[in-house]
Amino acid sequence: MCIGFFMSLLDGSIINVAVPTLIHSLNASYDQVLWVIDGYLLVFSVLLISTGRLGDIFGYRRLYVIGILTFTIASALCGLAGSPAWLLAARALQGLGGALLFPQVISSILTIFPPRLRGRAFGLFGAIVGFAPIVGPVVGGFLLAHLGWRWIFFLNVPIGIVTAVLALTCVPPLRSGRAHRLDLVGVALATAGLSGIVFGLIEGERYDWGTVTGPISIASVIVAGVVLLAVFVGRQHRQRGEPLMPLALFGTRNFAVGNGVGFVFQLGMIGIMFVLVLYLQTARGYSAWETGLAVLPNAVLTAVGSAYAGRLSDRFGGKYLLMAGMTLLAVGLLVLLCMAGPTSSAWSLLPGLLLIGIASGATFAPLQQVTTDGVDPRLAGAASGVSSTTRQIGGVLGTAVLGALLSARLSSTLRDAAEKHAGRLPEELRARFIGDSAAAAQNYSPPAPPGGLNPATAGLYERVTADTFATGFVDAMQTVLVACAVVLLAAVALCFLFSPHRKPAAEPARQPQAETAPQD
């Protein structure tokens, strides 16, 4: 089950390295390729609550296999794409497949494993959460260099087929233990509300947080999404039958607190790799492949640490382990802040990256374990969908807010750096250089030299702009890393609201209930 989970996370990041290639190969615009990336995230994020509940109704293995097959077929269609529209439609189908399979992994852990053994299962889950997004650029860079962009998607096909066979062979046929009904009105409200919020957060910066078209603005889209979600929650409260999101879940103290901690944690965590990858690629000139290799030790430590952290969570509870991990994350950010400079190499970042890797390994599994502590296994699908959605929204919001903060800060720092470096250029180029440098904040890349320059002057202009951009980016990045550290420490403070750990008594593993057709 974790193989499919790994594939869905990997495909969220692996395509990022192929943006220039897709623009050239498919004759696509930059906006079209961005939508190929964002369309997957949008569909994936807004369906998790509904697909989690579908697992309760139709069976976790059944939904997982449907999700894997959907994802595999969509991957083949992506690899065969001959136009941007075709690729976007196939990526949206991939997002549907990922949303179908993703919650079923958590639901199966809650249903198969007794409380005293869940930590080690969540340890493997956490290892993949930390490892897949980082290894994506490495795998993507290798495939681009040796096989071409289509193999980024074709690679999923044999893995998906094998995974579906393994799931049908090895995974017990699980349902939550009772018949359910699907709240179709709730599905429509939740999907529409989350779509408005996620679309607004993803596309906000592209539209400068203003008008999308006619009277429709980013603010109005987000507000409409929030209103629809409020209507959805009100409907769930009044539901006498089978709500899509049982509010009884939030009566479990750790689940309510864990969702708050997960939202804040993801908001701060998402910015770490966001700015670090930009720093290595745009300020230091590393390729996507080299960037992936530079952060690979971080991913390995996260994966190994998560496995051990899961076992420790079983023994001592996740609360204090999670608090220690997030505190160490904040410390690692400050170390990274001190070591990253305009001319720093990837090696100089290693101490901070190692700390962040160890700390990340001590966060994912404990957070999942303590959040689901006390959740009724019969509500596993609903709990999985809600917690996954909360973190996805936190991550999308974090990307939007930290991206806006980085862009705003970069406009200021680049202008200051350009004014200091302008003296290295001929006088007639200085004013244009300062203006172009400040505008470079929108594209996160140094400006190109103006046309008509002789080779020597053009080479000088490129060197000065590269130095200026690196200096300005480091100053802006420091602000973002401090903001991430503050957010993570706020998440640490929220952890005090968790209930004290009570070691669960030994109990025999429940026999999973066979999948049967839902009954009235």
Side-chain angles (χ1 to χ4, degrees), residues 12-94:
S13 64
I14 193 172
I15 196 174
N16 292 337
V17 302
V19 169
T21 306
L22 291 174
I23 290 174
H24 174 73
S25 301
L26 294 177
N27 194 26
S29 68
Y30 184 67
D31 278 352
Q32 286 175 320
V33 174
L34 283 183
W35 256 111
V36 167
I37 297 171
D38 294 343
Y40 176 87
L41 178 61
L42 177 63
V43 174
F44 178 81
S45 300
V46 304
L47 293 177
L48 290 172
I49 290 179
S50 299
T51 55
R53 198 56 165 156
L54 283 171
D56 285 335
I57 298 173
F58 298 108
Y60 307 133
R61 184 182 72 171
R62 187 174 297 163
L63 261 291
Y64 177 85
V65 171
I66 292 172
I68 276 289
L69 293 177
T70 302
F71 190 90
T72 302
I73 292 168
S75 296
L77 292 173
C78 286
L80 295 171
S83 68
W86 179 345
L87 183 57
L88 174 58
R91 282 285 286 174
L93 188 63
Q94 261 194 328

Side-chain angles (χ1 to χ4, degrees), residues 383-406:
S384 171
V386 171
S387 61
S388 299
T389 300
T390 300
R391 289 173 206 172
Q392 281 292 317
I393 297 298
V396 173
L397 177 61
T399 302
V401 171
L402 295 172
L405 174 62
L406 179 64

Side-chain angles (χ1 to χ4, degrees), residues 479-506:
T479 302
V480 174
L481 292 181
V482 169
C484 289
V486 170
V487 171
L488 289 170
L489 291 177
V492 172
L494 285 176
C495 288
F496 284 105
L497 298 175
F498 281 121
S499 300
H501 173 63
R502 295 185 301 275
K503 189 172 182 179

